[in-house]
Structures are given as C-alpha cells and as structure tokens.
C-alpha cells in the first residue's frame, strides 16, 4: 500500500467562508501533489476522509491515471463531486496484475463496506462463465442462477465485472461466439463483432467446423487453467503454417500467442493457501520505508507502510532486525502472527526472533527469505509497494521545499534556490560515452528538462574532456543572464571534474551559478560525500542533513539517467538482439523463448516467474535473464 497520506484538517461550516474555501484549495492542492507521485502500475486505491475512514475503494490498470481522473477540471458525475469534496488522503496498493487488483478490490469492499461503493448482497449468487455443449456452434456467455442449461460452467467469479472482463479477453483471443441463440439463428450477414475481429462469424459460414471446434477446445482448456497445452498447440500450429508458407495463418497464431501471454496474469491471491506477512524495504537518502503485505489463506488482504527513523546508512537486514521485534512484540498492538514471515534478505538472528515470537504467541512461525513462485511474487509486490511509497514521501512538495531551504542555508546563499542541475558521465572502458544533465526545481525532478549528450571526438575514457564537452554544449547557447541557468550546478566528481566546469563557465562569462563538485567518500558509502567549491574549503555535511539528502538525490538521478543512456547507445552500436550476449541464452533458448511468448516484446513483458516456465530455462537463469533484460 502506498500510504500516500496527505491528511488535512477538514472544516465543515454550514456556510462557505473565505477560510473554508482557502482550506479546501489547500486540500485539493495537496491531493494533486500526492497523485503526481503515484505509480503507473496496476493496483487498488482507497479514498479516505478526515478521520481516516475509507470512503471508496477502486481498482486501476494504471493507478496514477485513474486516480488523477477524479481531480479533472470538468467532473460531471454528482457522485464523484461529492466523493472528491470529502477526500483527505489517498492510499494505494500495487498488485502484480489488473486481475489481482480486481480480486483485492472485492476483498476490501466486502470487509470495509465503503459508503461510496455499491455493495453486493452476500445472498446473491456468484456469476459464472458458461460454454454450451450439444450445439453445432457452441456459445460462450455470462451466467448467474440455477445451472439448468447443458454445458460447462466455469467459476464462480468474485463479481460480474470480473466475468465480463474474462469474456472480453476470450473474445479477443479465440473469437468464440457470445451472441444469444435467437440472434445467431437469424443472421444473414456478419455482425459488428466479426468486423472488429472478435467473432469468426459461424452464423454465415465464414469459419470451418474444424477451426471453430479448435477455438472452442482452446477456450475450454484456457478456462480450465491448462494454459500450457493451449500455448504448445498454438506454437505447433504456427510452425506448421510457417513451413507450409501459410503466413496469414501463422500470423494469426502468433497474435493469439501474444494475446495469450498478455492475459495469463498470475493470480497469486488464489494459487496458494499461505498465511504470511511479506516485507519490502526501500532506503534512499533521507528516508526508509518498510511495507508489510498481509496474505491470509492465499489472499492478499492489503498492506501497510511504515517509515522508521534510522541513523545514517543502515543495511536492510539491520532495519528489519530492529523493526520486526517492535512490530510483533509491542505491548497492546494486538498483532496477528502468520505462519510465515518473508523478508527480502536473510536475517542474522532469525532463529532468536522466531523463538521469541513462539514464546509470545504460543505457536511456531517460519522466517524465510529464499522463496519461489507465488511467494516470490508476493515479495516482489511488497518491494514495489515500499519503493513507491518512499518515492511518494520524498517527492512531496512540502518535503522538497524543506530540503531546498536547508541547502540554501548550508550554502549561505542570499536568494532561494529555484533551479538546480547536475552532470554525470557514463561509459564502459571509453565505449559509447554519454553525459547526462538532470534538473530539479521546487517540485523535485523536472524530467522534461533532462538532457543527454553523446560525447564524440575525445580520447576514450577521458572523463575530464567529456565533462568539458557536455558543459560547453549545454551552456554555450544560453545568455549569461538567461533565467534558464541554474542557481546551483552540481558536478558528479571531485576537484578535476569541478575544474572543467569552472573553465567552461568562465569562458562563457557565466558568473551567477554556484558550482559544487560531489566527491564520493571512503568506500563510496552514502553519507560520507565531500562537497568541493571553487572558492572555499570543502564541506562535509551530517549524514542526516536534508541538504545532503537533496544533493545525493540529484547526484543519483544524474547517474541513473547517464547510465541508461549509455547502455542504450552501446546496445545500438553493437547492433545485436536484446537476447544476444546474455550469459546462458544461446540460439536454442532464444528460439524457445520467442516461440513460447510469441515475440520479443512479450519476452520483455514477462516476469521472471513466467520466464522460468519455458523449457530449458531454470529458476536461476530466469532471474538472471530478467535482470539483464531490465537492467536499463
């Protein structure tokens, strides 16, 4: 759960006043700031009122876009207007897929009963998917109530929405008819569903009995969860069609394979009856987040984020070693102990903690970090929630403003800092050198102003010359008094790199910019950086200083942006397939991957768990392959 909580006072006077309008404007501004930090992953969002009570629970394929729609300038729905007027905080939980978000949404709605959600009565029968039998042209459809019609019933599903989502996906995938029999028998020409590629028009004989029967069989296998058989069959028919030079059929099978891989979302909440607390930990300069994902009887119930105070650089295992006893053994907390505690790293004293929990709760608990399949997916989900929540917290406008003010104080600048830029260089043994320039303003990173420079015409590996060229190209087109010049210019490096910046700005007549070189400390450990200046002694800031955290943030962002550009340029220069050059992935395995997923783009979209399903790909190789494909 990304506890992006911006809880504000909620005055509710009988008559609108100037103060209430101002408070409402501040509330909406804070909520819009929160929305900017939300992830673009699928998940569940919760709208909270001033007391912390849940007003509404919803799911989204893209959390940021969906939540942002509530705060559009033109909102026509009276229900949405009433909801937005009462929202004081937003919380989100990232899930592995939209399907999983749907299931979690239903769990939360039933348990929380939010007033703005439509609550289904528990005595109402759950819907199913019906695949008819005995017909010449079987039909796929929605069903609720007594199962009197002859056919196979699949379900039950948690809601009618989930059934219709499944039918919509199957319609795109296998194109089995979903129209009523009365409509089907009276057709003389194809309907709109055929025209948009969602039905093969058996009503007017545009598909053979054999092809339609095969689509029905694939639909049944898919609904039974026998996805591997469907995939293997499609691969075999695609290869046969290609060998027979029937490229139209081969392309259709390829498209079905791609669609199948995209909708085979792993429903981790149903595949395992585990009871576990799963932990994700994120740490950045200036903050730590511990996310606790609660799983009971195989169903993800939600998550909670904590932001413990830590001193200086603290290892993740040390953070958990202090957090876990406090979380479970705190008097009066009333914590529930699951059967398993899953952590992202091994704990040195896990046996001691396990024994203490056994004595406190009167039963055994297993603490583990090396997990596979479903539990590995839970762990990934918890880690993504922790990272998202920490990013949201550190990116909040008020937090950023405080950091900027502290940096101004530390640097003894007369005017507030409005804009900062930072440069970094990235290359591999001098190959494909790229310089990055990232920009921060009062709202944090300003990605639209980021720039990269492909460095040419220098001695390979000469970082000083690369820095000189990048700075010259960046500032030679700006007037010395241009308002786009930064107030503070950071250079990732020590005195040598800083001297290049001094030389370039002096040549260009730019004197209004405060230059700072960021040199890494002993062992390159965060918190030990030294700041170098052109005209004053070096400065070492306290590890807890917000000014240092801001400096580390912009330096790390420049490094990330530079190395991403360098890797892309290097890959383009080598002109090799994305899969080539990865240890353990030879021609046979590359072919197996492409066949299994239906194309390179689907391989790139696959999770490590999905990659491990391919013949010849072990769990360890799948993990290293996933890391190599997503190292950019």
């Amino acid at each position: 759960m990304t506890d992006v909580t911006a809880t504000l006072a909620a005055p509710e006077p009988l008559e609108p006043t100037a103060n209430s309008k101002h408070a409402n404007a501040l509330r909406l501004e804070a909520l819009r700031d929160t929305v900017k930090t939300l992830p673009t992953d699928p998940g569940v969002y919760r709208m909270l009122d001033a007391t912390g009570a849940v007003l509404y629970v919803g799911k989204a394929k893209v959390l940021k876009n969906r939540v942002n729609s509530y705060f559009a300038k033109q909102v026509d729905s009276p229900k949405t207007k009433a909801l937005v007027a009462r929202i004081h905080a937003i919380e989100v939980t990232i899930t592995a897929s939209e399907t999983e978000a749907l299931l979690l949404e239903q769990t939360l709605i039933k348990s929380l009963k939010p007033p703005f959600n439509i609550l289904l009565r528990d005595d109402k029968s759950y819907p199913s998917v019906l695949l008819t039998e005995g017909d010449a042209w079987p039909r796929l459809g929605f069903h609720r109530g007594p199962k009197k019609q002859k056919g196979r019933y699949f379900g039950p599903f948690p809601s009618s929405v989930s059934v219709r989502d499944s039918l919509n996906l199957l319609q795109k995938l296998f194109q089995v008819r979903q129209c009523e029999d009365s409509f089907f028998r009276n057709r003389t020409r194809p309907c709109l569903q055929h025209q948009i590629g969602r039905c093969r028009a058996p009503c007017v004989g545009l598909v053979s009995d054999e092809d339609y029967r095969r689509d029905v069989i694939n639909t049944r296998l898919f609904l039974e969860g026998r996805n591997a058989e469907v995939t293997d069959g499609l691969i075999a028919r695609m290869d046969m069609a290609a060998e027979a030079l029937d490229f139209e059929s081969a392309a259709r099978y390829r498209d079905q394979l791609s669609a199948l891989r995209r909708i085979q979302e792993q429903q981790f909440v149903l595949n395992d009856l585990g009871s576990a607390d799963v932990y994700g930990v994120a740490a950045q300069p200036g903050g730590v987040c511990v996310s606790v994902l609660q799983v009971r009887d195989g169903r993800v119930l939600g998550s909670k984020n904590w932001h413990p105070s830590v001193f200086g650089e603290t290892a993740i295992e040390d953070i958990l070693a202090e957090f876990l006893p406090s979380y479970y053994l705190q008097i009066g907390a009333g914590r529930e102990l699951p059967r398993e505690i899953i952590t992202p790293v091994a704990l040195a004293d896990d046996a001691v903690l396990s024994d203490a929990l056994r004595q406190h709760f009167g039963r055994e608990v297993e603490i583990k970090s090396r997990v596979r399949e479903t539990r590995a997916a839970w762990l990934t989900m918890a880690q993504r929630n922790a990272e998202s929540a920490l990013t949201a917290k550190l990116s909040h406008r008020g937090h950023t403003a405080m950091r900027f003010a502290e940096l101004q104080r530390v640097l003894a600048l007369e005017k507030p800092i409005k804009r900062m830029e930072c440069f970094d260089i990235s290359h591999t043994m001098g190959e494909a050198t790229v310089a990055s320039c990232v920009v921060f303003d009062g709202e944090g990173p300003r990605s639209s102003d980021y720039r990269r420079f492909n460095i040419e015409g220098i001695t390979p590996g000469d970082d000083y010359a690369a820095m000189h060229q990048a700075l010259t190209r960046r500032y030679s087109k700006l007037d010395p008094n241009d308002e786009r010049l930064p107030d503070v210019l950071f250079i990732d490096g020590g005195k040598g790199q800083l001297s290049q910046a001094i030389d370039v700005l002096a040549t260009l007549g730019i004197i209004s910019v405060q230059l700072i070189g960021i040199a890494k400390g002993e062992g390159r450990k965060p918190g030990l950086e030294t700041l170098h200046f052109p005209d004053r002694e070096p400065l070492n800031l306290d590890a807890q200083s917000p000014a240092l955290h801001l400096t580390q943030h912009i330096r790390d962002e420049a490094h990330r942006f530079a190395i991403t550009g360098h890797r892309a340029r290097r890959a383009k220069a080598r002109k090799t397939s994305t899969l080539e050059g990865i240890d353990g992935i030879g021609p046979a395995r590359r072919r197996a991957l492409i066949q299994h997923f239906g194309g390179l783009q689907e391989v790139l979209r696959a999770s490590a768990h999905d990659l491990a399903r391919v013949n010849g790909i072990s769990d360890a190789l799948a993990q290293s392959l996933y890391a190599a494909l997503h190292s950019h």
Side-chain angles (χ1 to χ4, degrees), residues 14 19 70 149 183 186 210 284 293 302 340 398 424 462 475 493 513 617:
L14 295 176
N19 288 337
Y70 286 88
Q149 190 171 355
F183 181 84
N186 292 289
E210 181 182 355
Q284 291 185 25
L293 188 75
E340 297 173 278
D424 191 20
D462 188 345
Y475 298 116
V513 176
I617 305 294

Side-chain angles (χ1 to χ4, degrees), residues 220-292:
R220 176 175 54 80
L221 291 174
F222 179 81
L223 288 169
E224 290 174 349
R226 296 159 65 181
N227 302 334
E229 295 181 41
V230 180
T231 301
D232 292 343
L234 289 173
I235 291 173
R237 285 192 289 277
M238 181 176 67
D239 289 343
M240 290 175 59
E243 291 175 2
L245 304 182
D246 184 2
F247 297 117
E248 183 177 350
S249 296
R252 185 172 68 252
Y253 294 135
R254 180 205 61 202
D255 293 342
Q256 285 185 317
L257 265 174
S258 298
L260 181 62
R261 296 309 311 173
R262 296 184 69 174
I263 67 176
Q264 283 178 344
E265 300 165 322
Q266 299 300 313
Q267 298 183 23
F268 302 114
V269 293
L270 297 178
N271 292 342
D272 197 292
L273 294 180
S275 174
D277 282 351
V278 189
Y279 288 84
V281 182
Q284 291 185 25
V288 168
C289 178
V290 178
S291 184
V292 186

Side-chain angles (χ1 to χ4, degrees), residues 130-187:
L130 168 63
L131 181 61
T132 62
E133 293 179 349
D135 298 333
W137 307 99
R139 180 179 73 88
L140 192 68
F142 177 96
H143 179 83
R144 191 197 293 273
K147 299 177 180 178
K148 296 181 179 180
Q149 190 171 355
K150 186 178 180 180
R152 289 288 305 276
Y153 293 88
F154 300 92
F157 286 75
S159 72
S160 60
V161 174
S162 59
V163 176
R164 299 194 190 283
D165 284 347
S166 298
L167 289 173
N168 184 45
L169 293 174
L170 287 167
Q171 198 174 38
K172 296 176 183 177
L173 186 56
F174 298 120
Q175 301 183 27
V176 173
R177 74 176 182 96
Q178 297 187 17
C179 57
E180 295 293 339
D181 290 341
S182 58
F183 181 84
F184 176 78
R185 287 192 293 264
N186 292 289
R187 295 301 301 176

Side-chain angles (χ1 to χ4, degrees), residues 302-377:
S303 59
K304 179 68 177 177
N305 291 331
W306 305 83
H307 297 275
S309 299
V310 298
F311 181 78
E313 182 195 16
T314 304
I316 290 177
E317 54 266 33
D318 294 334
I319 294 172
L320 286 173
E322 292 187 20
F323 179 85
L324 292 176
S326 175
Y327 181 76
Y328 290 107
L329 303 177
Q330 188 176 29
I331 298 175
R335 305 289 185 207
E336 176 189 357
L337 185 69
R339 289 192 292 270
E340 297 173 278
I341 294 175
I342 302 175
T343 60
V345 295
L347 305 181
D349 296 328
D350 57 352
V352 176
L353 176 60
S354 180
D355 186 56
L357 295 176
R358 179 182 58 80
Q359 294 182 36
H360 183 78
F361 289 94
R363 61 185 180 83
E364 297 291 337
V365 62
E366 187 176 3
I367 302 175
K368 58 177 68 172
S369 60
R370 301 184 65 180
V371 291
R372 300 172 60 184
E373 298 182 349
T374 301
R375 284 163 176 76

Side-chain angles (χ1 to χ4, degrees), residues 327-596:
Y327 181 76
Y328 290 107
L329 303 177
Q330 188 176 29
I331 298 175
R335 305 289 185 207
E336 176 189 357
L337 185 69
R339 289 192 292 270
E340 297 173 278
I341 294 175
I342 302 175
T343 60
V345 295
L347 305 181
D349 296 328
D350 57 352
V352 176
L353 176 60
S354 180
D355 186 56
L357 295 176
R358 179 182 58 80
Q359 294 182 36
H360 183 78
F361 289 94
R363 61 185 180 83
E364 297 291 337
V365 62
E366 187 176 3
I367 302 175
K368 58 177 68 172
S369 60
R370 301 184 65 180
V371 291
R372 300 172 60 184
E373 298 182 349
T374 301
R375 284 163 176 76
W378 291 338
L379 191 59
T380 299
M381 194 188 310
Q383 186 63 30
R384 288 169 63 192
N385 275 288
E387 292 169 356
S388 177
L390 182 58
T391 299
K393 181 177 184 292
L394 296 181
S395 299
H396 194 272
R397 181 181 297 180
H399 187 82
T400 302
M402 180 270 293
R403 285 179 159 192
F404 268 70
E406 179 61 15
L407 182 61
Q408 179 193 351
R409 186 192 67 80
V410 167
L411 299 179
L413 299 179
E414 295 181 0
K415 297 181 179 180
I417 300 173
K418 296 181 179 180
R419 182 183 177 98
M420 303 190 306
E421 297 186 3
C422 183
F423 281 75
D424 191 20
I425 305 295
S426 181
H427 58 80
T428 301
M429 303 295 290
E431 177 189 4
T433 302
V434 171
S436 70
C437 172
V438 301
V439 180
F440 279 31
D441 61 14
E443 296 186 0
R446 188 180 179 88
S447 57
S448 61
D449 285 356
Y450 286 13
R451 295 292 182 271
R452 288 195 186 102
F453 303 93
N454 292 334
I455 304 301
E456 305 286 357
I458 65 169
T459 302
D462 188 345
D463 287 355
Y464 294 165
M467 183 65 73
H468 194 283
Q469 183 180 133
L471 291 166
T472 301
R473 290 167 60 183
R474 172 66 171 171
Y475 298 116
S476 60
K477 297 180 181 180
L478 298 180
D479 184 88
N481 297 315
D482 197 304
E483 61 180 11
R484 289 174 293 175
L485 285 172
D487 300 302
V488 179
L489 173 59
F490 290 102
I491 304 297
D492 186 15
K495 295 180 180 179
Q497 286 87 348
L498 181 62
S499 65
Q500 299 300 316
I502 295 172
D503 181 55
V504 169
L505 296 192
T507 302
L508 297 175
I510 299 174
I511 60 175
S512 61
V513 176
Q514 173 66 63
L515 276 171
I516 303 176
I518 310 173
K520 296 180 177 64
E522 181 180 356
R524 306 174 70 87
K525 291 184 177 180
L528 301 179
E529 290 87 352
T530 299
L531 303 185
H532 292 276
F533 303 88
D535 53 359
R536 54 184 281 195
E537 292 298 314
L539 178 64
N540 292 94
L541 297 176
D542 184 86
Q544 298 300 307
S545 168
L548 178 61
H549 298 158
L550 179 59
T551 301
Q552 292 169 328
H553 190 182
I554 194 171
R555 186 269 316 275
D556 292 345
E557 179 68 357
H559 179 70
R560 180 201 65 79
F561 195 57
I563 201 169
T564 301
H566 159 64
R567 287 171 175 169
R569 187 185 183 197
R570 183 183 62 188
K572 183 178 180 181
R574 293 178 178 178
K575 296 181 180 179
T576 59
S577 166
T578 305
L579 294 175
E580 293 183 32
I582 299 177
D583 292 340
I585 305 298
R589 283 174 174 156
R590 286 200 297 272
R591 177 176 173 81
L593 285 164
I594 296 298
Q595 284 186 333
H596 183 86

